[in-house]
Amino acid sequence: MFRFKMKLHILSLAALLCLADAFQVRPAPIIRSSRHRLYSAEAKTDINELNSEAAINDAENLVQTNGENKKAATKRKMELTWCNADACHETIREKVVGDHNHMELTAPATGQVAYSFVDDTSSTSANGEGALYSPAVLILVKPDDEDLVPMAVEVIEQLLEYGVQVMVDSIFREKLRNFDNIDLDSEMIRHFDPKPVPGFGSGKQLLSPSEDDVTNNSNGEDQQHSADLSDADLIVTLGGDGTIMYASHVFSGPVPPILPVAGGSMGFLTPFAREEMLEAILIALGLKEVTADENDGDDDKDSHDNKNGLTISQRANNNMHIEASSFSGYSDREPLAFGNNNKICISMRMRFDCRIFGIDGSLRARYTVLNEVVIDRGSSPYLASLECFCDDVHLTTVQADGIIFATPTGSTAYSMAAGGSVVHPAVPAIMVTPICPHVLSFRSMVFPDHVVLRCYVPSDARSTACVHFDGKHRTELSRGDSVQIEMSPHPVPTINRVDHSADWLSSLKSNFNFNTRVRQKKISTTSVSD
């Protein structure tokens, strides 16, 4: 928008210079003020005379009679750009059409994202010979649920038979030692332990992870088959929503696609059932194909052994089967199998890149957030006092128990409980929701994802504040400390069971009984006639 305004100023200046040339007025050097207004250093009086009504009328007559000045009356074509604090981008969805500079949109702002495999599975080794590529799957299992371990072991056995490498962390690796059918010395089972990511965290880790941190919990035996963050082609979470948040915490940078399998209590973000975990992994890796003609109609769609792939009717939330209601006159399309035509639908779940700055401007901590950032009063008996800004423009003074900055994924968590809006995961937005504000006019707000939000504790605050990132990393904010929140360039891609809308709406209905009430009876014919 800034660049667009600048172009308007330049066009006004061009017309002004053309008129000045017609009256043989030599333009003086132009001085640009801090507010981007244009002034003349020497000929201010001449310009005032030029802008008089008589001079303008004479100029218009001259433009009509003098062929050399016809260019001054030529209609200009508008140009649109997207500009932020870093740069301006020419390729945008808005465009200018027609002779009158009408504006149109070329496409929606967002859409359903899907991936497919276009390359074959062969790769070239270092010596130039062809080598068969073996995909790697990182399996994260909810640590405090022993009932999930046997199911995970069964899937690992079958993945190894398919030639898929399996990555496990140290906690789950120790549990695998109790199963004789799993050979932990195999090259196909690799040891994975989260390593600090440079630039994230707090203290010394924020600057550079030490050698002890990089090699933590790794003995000589495990080092031989150790795995790095970039080695995983797919992450499988067997647990609840907390397991997905743990995966987001481990991968502060780029995140591989996540296949969420229900193994927790609610499972709002886990659309896959445990029984279909193996088949879903194979389809997600491109090792099993599902085509449209295979999903034809008379097969038992509730069978987990369905050879035609996974179907919409198999829902994973609490292992319940959720069927769409049948409405009169409503024609529903035939449900497609998961992985139909080798396309896997995913939700690109937006994350926050959050930083804590001290009063001296030094960076104290940095974290990525999937759900929400909460700044509250902590254990203080006083209201939290915060000054909040949006793109360095004062937003509001917060006097409340706290304030929540939520992603679309986090809009159905703490923000929803505090009265915030429920937002579709594909909407690129930042939700700001106050917690028990001591004023009637402070309501939840929605901001575009390109803004930078910042809150600091003022010097006259009665007490300090506390900030939490996805419920972790509790940090006290002293007077003068600030928290900066902006969109992370690395979203969390979670694989959809159907698509991002169907999965999200099914979770709302099954977990929250969204908008559920007894249906009104229709008015009887007898009552109408009376």
Side-chain angles (χ1 to χ4, degrees):
M1 192 61 187
F2 172 75
R3 182 174 178 178
F4 178 65
K5 288 183 178 178
M6 289 298 296
K7 286 189 176 181
L8 291 180
H9 285 308
I10 294 173
L11 292 177
S12 300
L13 175 62
L16 184 63
L17 293 179
C18 183
L19 293 173
D21 183 67
F23 285 92
Q24 297 182 351
V25 177
R26 183 177 182 83
I30 298 301
I31 298 176
R32 187 181 304 275
S33 73
S34 60
R35 299 285 296 176
H36 306 292
R37 293 193 179 98
L38 299 177
Y39 295 94
S40 172
E42 298 175 358
K44 187 174 182 180
T45 304
D46 295 335
I47 291 179
N48 288 335
E49 294 176 357
L50 185 64
N51 286 331
S52 65
E53 184 177 355
I56 292 176
N57 292 334
D58 292 340
E60 290 177 351
N61 295 331
L62 183 62
V63 168
Q64 295 174 1
T65 58
N66 192 344
E68 295 180 357
N69 294 297
K70 285 185 178 180
K71 184 180 293 186
T74 303
K75 193 173 185 65
R76 267 78 169 181
K77 183 73 172 179
M78 287 185 179
E79 292 182 1
L80 300 177
T81 57
W82 270 358
C83 294
N84 53 26
D86 299 326
C88 290
H89 309 277
E90 299 291 342
T91 304
I92 59 176
R93 69 188 186 111
E94 294 86 359
K95 68 176 182 178
V96 179
V97 297
D99 296 333
H100 299 284
N101 291 323
H102 296 164
M103 301 180 190
E104 292 183 354
L105 298 177
T106 60
T110 61
Q112 175 66 68
V113 180
Y115 75 84
S116 59
F117 294 96
V118 295
D119 298 325
D120 56 17
T121 57
S122 62
S123 60
T124 304
S125 60
N127 57 9
E129 298 179 357
L132 183 63
Y133 173 72
S134 179
V137 176
L138 171 61
I139 298 181
L140 300 176
V141 182
K142 185 178 179 181
D144 56 351
D145 193 339
E146 298 298 328
D147 295 336
L148 300 176
V149 176
M151 183 170 297
V153 170
E154 181 181 351
V155 171
I156 290 175
E157 280 188 281
Q158 299 180 65
L159 288 177
L160 295 176
E161 295 178 359
Y162 278 94
V164 177
Q165 301 179 64
V166 177
M167 300 163 57
V168 294
D169 59 19
S170 57
I171 297 177
F172 187 60
R173 186 183 181 89
E174 290 301 318
K175 296 180 180 180
L176 292 179
R177 296 187 186 278
N178 299 325
F179 295 86
D180 297 333
N181 50 347
I182 300 296
D183 183 13
L184 295 178
D185 296 329
S186 171
E187 295 181 355
M188 301 297 291
I189 299 181
R190 305 176 63 184
H191 178 238
F192 172 85
D193 262 329
K195 300 179 178 64
V197 179
F200 290 88
S202 60
K204 294 181 179 179
Q205 177 187 332
L206 180 64
L207 301 177
S208 177
S210 64
E211 291 296 327
D212 294 337
D213 292 332
V214 173
T215 58
N216 62 337
N217 297 329
S218 297
N219 54 36
E221 178 184 358
D222 294 336
Q223 280 279 83
Q224 184 178 0
H225 305 308
S226 62
D228 200 0
L229 289 176
S230 59
D231 293 340
D233 298 298
L234 179 70
I235 302 174
V236 178
T237 59
L238 180 55
D241 297 346
T243 311
I244 299 177
M245 295 178 64
Y246 171 72
S248 172
H249 172 70
V250 171
F251 290 83
S252 297
V255 187
I258 296 179
L259 182 73
V261 181
S265 54
M266 176 176 285
F268 188 85
L269 305 177
T270 55
F272 291 90
R274 308 174 196 178
E275 296 79 4
E276 56 194 23
M277 178 167 57
L278 175 63
E279 189 176 7
I281 293 174
L282 297 178
I283 295 175
L285 290 174
L287 301 179
K288 179 177 180 180
E289 296 184 357
V290 178
T291 57
D293 55 356
E294 288 179 343
N295 184 32
D296 41 318
D298 294 332
D299 296 331
D300 182 11
K301 295 180 181 179
D302 290 334
S303 172
H304 292 294
D305 296 328
N306 186 357
K307 66 179 180 179
N308 297 332
L310 311 179
T311 56
I312 289 178
S313 61
Q314 298 173 352
R315 304 304 304 165
N317 296 320
N318 298 325
N319 290 328
M320 295 188 300
H321 294 270
I322 308 298
E323 298 291 346
S325 301
S326 177
F327 298 101
S328 177
Y330 176 73
S331 178
D332 192 11
R333 62 181 173 88
E334 184 69 20
L336 297 176
F338 167 69
N340 182 63
N341 291 328
N342 299 324
K343 291 190 180 299
I344 309 295
C345 294
I346 56 178
S347 291
M348 302 295 286
R349 298 189 178 274
M350 170 184 168
R351 290 195 294 180
F352 290 153
D353 186 352
C354 306
R355 295 174 172 89
I356 301 178
F357 293 97
I359 190 173
D360 58 351
S362 61
L363 180 61
R364 292 177 50 193
R366 182 184 180 189
Y367 303 104
T368 54
V369 170
L370 179 61
N371 263 8
E372 74 270 314
V373 180
V374 179
I375 307 176
D376 57 30
R377 64 181 184 175
S379 59
S380 171
Y382 303 107
L383 291 174
S385 179
L386 301 168
E387 296 291 344
C388 295
F389 294 80
C390 173
D391 286 340
D392 292 331
V393 178
H394 187 257
L395 172 61
T396 187
T397 298
V398 177
Q399 295 185 95
D401 281 352
I403 189 170
I404 303 170
F405 301 90
T407 65
T409 299
S411 68
T412 52
Y414 194 179
S415 177
M416 183 183 71
S421 299
V422 176
V423 181
H424 191 286
V427 177
I430 302 175
M431 275 59 66
V432 178
T433 305
I435 305 173
C436 298
H438 199 248
V439 63
L440 295 177
S441 58
F442 195 0
R443 293 292 180 263
S444 179
M445 296 176 289
V446 180
F447 291 88
D449 61 351
H450 67 80
V451 303
V452 178
L453 300 174
R454 179 171 58 89
C455 286
Y456 78 93
V457 182
S459 58
D460 60 351
R462 289 191 173 187
S463 180
T464 60
C466 287
V467 59
H468 313 261
F469 305 91
D470 278 341
K472 303 179 182 295
H473 312 298
R474 179 184 182 276
T475 305
E476 184 176 7
L477 299 176
S478 302
R479 295 173 182 85
D481 291 348
S482 62
V483 178
Q484 179 178 295
I485 301 165
E486 59 184 322
M487 181 195 73
S488 170
H490 305 293
V492 174
T494 57
I495 296 178
N496 299 137
R497 184 63 179 72
V498 184
D499 57 48
H500 56 193
S501 293
D503 287 5
W504 183 66
L505 292 173
S506 295
S507 293
L508 282 177
K509 295 174 182 178
S510 62
N511 290 289
F512 296 138
N513 292 325
F514 174 70
N515 200 25
T516 301
R517 70 178 298 276
V518 177
R519 192 177 183 87
Q520 271 188 328
K521 295 181 179 180
K522 68 177 182 178
I523 300 177
S524 63
T525 308
T526 306
S527 300
V528 173
S529 60
D530 292 341

